[in-house]
Amino acid sequence: MARSVALVSEESAATLGLRPLTARSVLASALLGEDPPELPVSHLVALAGLFGVSPNGARVALSRMVGAGEAATDGDGRYRLAGHLLERRRRQEASLRAEGGPWDGTWHLVVVAAPASPPAHRSARRARLAAARLAEHRPGLWLRPANLALPEDVVGDPELVRWSAVPDADPVALAATLWDEDGWATRARLLLAALEDRPTDGPEDLAPGFALSAAVLRHLQADPLLPGPLVGPGWPGDALRAAYAVWDARYRAVLRTWGRTVACT
């Protein structure tokens, strides 16, 4: 079993929505943050060591990631993202850009029009629809404002029927029933405060910052990216993205400096 690493108190972790970091999550997050998403094995092993993961534990985790199709290596001493983690990286980048278009009041309406299918297939379809920031209004009926284009894996699915619709009900009230807007905004403000309170100045800050960065990125992927009229002027999404961009640039600078010291040893 992969070892979990506690970086903050249990109370703080629960408040901020931080999850325990396993060797796999450390290695995956490290690769997710790189452009291109690959690193030398020596760098990955040293980084895992900041979290108390032994070199052998890190190498075992990398081997398991390769076996699961989450990473790849050509035997050149470098590992790169693969499979669904590459797709996660795409979603992560889209969440940081938050590129919503204008909204004319219409909604995407997606209906599952397929015969009974195995549970794994249904689960995968639900995950794709949720990743497209659609919300399930009724079993098999998914909605969202049409300020975002639907991704190809939804548009091209023959089991899904799509319409454009305008709800008769108040769209603000409808959105509030589909997404936990207050819950998302509350946690976003907590993470925003944590970014302001937890600067990154040296290598000793890398491990605590790593957990915070992962929590922010995960939370931004849960932002429904609703049009402004549906959430009002106090929505903290843009503020969290702006603060994270500044914080992450500083974090990456410290990480690069630390990485150069690793390369020289």
Side-chain angles (χ1 to χ4, degrees), residues 20 47-48 52 73 84 89 97 99 103 115 130 138 151 154 174 190 197 202 238 240:
L47 181 61
T73 181
H84 72 92
R89 187 171 186 270
R97 292 192 302 268
E99 294 176 346
W103 186 53
R138 295 285 188 275
V154 172
L174 175 59
L190 290 171
D197 293 342
D238 288 344
L240 181 58

Side-chain angles (χ1 to χ4, degrees), residues 37-184:
E38 62 178 64
L39 283 169
V41 64
S42 58
H43 185 110
L44 289 165
V45 169
L47 181 61
L50 294 176
F51 297 82
V53 178
S54 69
N56 183 62
R59 293 178 185 277
V60 168
L62 285 169
S63 178
R64 289 175 176 170
M65 290 175 67
V66 171
E70 298 176 331
T73 181
D74 296 327
D76 56 358
R78 299 182 68 85
Y79 284 81
R80 58 197 63 85
L81 283 184
H84 72 92
L85 287 182
L86 274 177
E87 175 59 22
R88 183 192 298 180
R89 187 171 186 270
R90 184 196 65 77
R91 294 197 306 269
Q92 180 174 293
E93 291 175 340
S95 297
L96 289 170
R97 292 192 302 268
E99 294 176 346
W103 186 53
D104 62 1
T106 61
W107 288 59
H108 295 301
L109 189 154
V110 178
V111 177
V112 178
S117 51
H121 183 77
R122 295 197 303 270
S123 178
R125 183 172 56 216
R126 290 179 62 85
R128 284 191 290 110
L129 291 168
R133 291 181 165 82
L134 290 151
E136 193 170 28
H137 183 53
R138 295 285 188 275
L141 175 61
W142 296 72
L143 303 173
R144 75 150 292 111
N147 63 316
L148 297 180
L150 294 177
E152 286 301 319
D153 62 356
V154 172
V155 173
D157 190 336
E159 296 182 344
L160 303 175
V161 179
R162 295 173 291 109
W163 285 278
S164 293
V166 178
D168 292 331
D170 175 14
V172 174
L174 175 59
T177 67
L178 294 172
W179 290 278
D180 180 12
E181 298 173 24
D182 289 342
W184 192 94

